[in-house]
Amino acid sequence: MTAALPGAGLGVGVVGGGFMAQVHARSARLAGARLVGLSSSSPESAARAAQQLGFDRGHASLEDLLADESIDVVHVCTPNALHAEQAAAVLASGRDVVCEKPLATTVADAAALVEQAAGAGRTATVPFVYRFHPLVREARDRVARGDTGRMLTVAASYLQDWLLTADDDNWRVDADLGGASRAFADIGSHLVDLVEFVTGDRIVRIAGRTRTFVADRAQHRGVTNEDAAALVVETAGGAVGTLLVSQVAPGRKNRLHLEVAGAAESLAFDQEHPETLWLGRREGSVLLPRDAAQNSDAANRYSVVPSGHPQGYPDAFAAFVADSYAAARGEDPDGLPRFADGLRAAVVTESVLRAAATDGWVDVPA
């Protein structure tokens, strides 16, 4: 007998009608949930997006959406500055919530959401979806069982080019909508989450620089949040590393790369080529494929098609949403990123801004 999909019987609401709303809606449908309602910046845009994405109806406002009793879980996919208020409203309505990152633009708001979710007893997750590539789980498993040996160094980067020129513009460059941090809060948060998830080690000290290279854009003048950040880090376990985050790297579309060097073995993952994991050894480095016969149970849990049939970002996102719905049903999936992980990202982001402002090392609060 085939097990029911984790979203079977769940009614889903989405706040927002842009690209991320499309990704969330597609993943919700794959998990077996029903797309019930969508709200956006106006009743007209909500009606249009609802029709395009296959929702039963558009809602005139978030309040209207939360009054819909057929909605069980709400995905928040709006500009960053709205996340905290809207996620809090969803929790207050007694529903489970999936909130896009950054969870909040301040540590205080993120901490308040963690406390509210715990008090309400609701499932509250953040889509750090790169955790859900099978070979990321393989890398994490290899580190945890000691294959890499003592952790020595980390070299990680997340590079994009979509905001390279002055003609490139987006609401995220407006600090009132995107937050005081842009590149790091939006994609550096993914990078730090992946580093800490794979290694099981926390970053405890940071020094670095942020830069705004394009201050005047097509529709925004005097941009203050950063285009790039370059960091040196220390971990609780004694490793050192470098992190580079940029949205102005020509030719790099969405290149998240993580390389960890241990005393016994190195490993590297590139999310633009997620079907192989590089294993570095003193004698003979190898490329490990996604293959049930060669991978751990932790990796195979997220392999949805046989080796040789490529998986990628949509599959990772779908796995995250499926695990979020499983948690809403009372399960406890390993490695599910919850609001506490969103708070961690906010703490690290704030530490990055402090390090850049003070021109020295800063401690990252636990």
Side-chain angles (χ1 to χ4, degrees), residues 79-273:
N80 301 349
L82 301 175
H83 290 176
E85 178 182 354
Q86 293 177 339
V90 175
L91 288 169
S93 75
R95 291 175 171 87
D96 301 303
V97 59
V98 178
C99 183
E100 261 300 328
K101 34 70 27 205
L103 177 59
T105 56
T106 69
V107 169
D109 284 347
L113 285 171
V114 171
E115 183 175 354
Q116 184 182 3
R122 307 310 307 183
T123 295
T125 62
V126 180
F128 289 127
V129 297
Y130 299 116
R131 293 185 179 197
F132 292 85
H133 283 293
L135 289 180
V136 165
R137 296 296 175 121
E138 177 71 22
R140 180 183 183 232
D141 202 52
R142 297 181 75 87
V143 172
R145 69 178 184 237
D147 291 11
T148 54
R150 177 191 171 201
M151 203 65 54
L152 304 177
T153 63
V154 175
S157 61
Y158 198 158
L159 308 177
Q160 300 175 333
D161 69 359
W162 70 289
L163 289 172
L164 177 63
T165 74
D167 292 332
D168 299 317
D169 214 332
N170 183 266
W171 59 261
R172 290 172 176 82
V173 307
D174 183 343
D176 290 337
L177 295 176
S181 172
R182 185 208 334 140
F184 197 86
D186 272 334
I187 61 175
S189 56
H190 275 299
L191 189 64
V192 169
D193 182 77
L194 196 64
V195 168
E196 296 188 338
F197 182 71
V198 168
T199 65
D201 201 1
R202 285 281 176 111
I203 293 170
V204 295
R205 299 188 76 215
I206 288 175
R209 294 282 188 276
T210 60
R211 287 286 186 273
T212 305
F213 296 108
V214 186
D216 295 321
R217 295 184 177 272
Q219 297 177 25
H220 295 88
R221 296 290 186 268
V223 173
T224 57
N225 52 23
E226 78 282 352
D227 294 315
L231 311 171
V232 180
V233 302
E234 295 180 1
T235 74
V240 295
T242 59
L243 306 181
L244 178 63
V245 174
S246 175
Q247 293 175 323
V248 290
R252 292 301 188 186
K253 303 306 177 186
N254 195 49
R255 205 260 186 162
L256 187 160
H257 182 265
L258 168 66
E259 183 166 328
V260 173
E265 182 177 278
S266 298
L267 54 83
F269 175 80
D270 181 349
Q271 85 84 29
E272 288 190 342
H273 302 280

Side-chain angles (χ1 to χ4, degrees), residues 287-306:
L287 281 178
L288 178 70
R290 181 181 63 79
D291 177 22
Q294 302 180 64
N295 300 158
S296 66
D297 291 343
N300 289 336
R301 179 173 184 266
Y302 293 99
S303 287
V304 296
V305 292

Side-chain angles (χ1 to χ4, degrees), residues 14-19 21-22 25 29 35 37-59:
V14 168
V15 189
F19 167 70
Q22 298 174 35
R29 187 182 292 110
L35 303 183
L38 179 147
S39 66
S40 189
S41 56
S42 69
E44 295 75 22
S45 64
R48 183 169 56 252
Q51 182 178 26
Q52 291 173 345
L53 299 181
F55 283 80
D56 292 345
R57 50 191 166 272
H59 288 279

Side-chain angles (χ1 to χ4, degrees), residues 13-14 37-39 59 61-68 71 74 95:
V14 168
L38 179 147
S39 66
H59 288 279
S61 65
L62 173 59
E63 292 73 22
D64 188 33
L65 183 148
L66 295 178
D68 188 336
I71 292 176
V74 177
R95 291 175 171 87

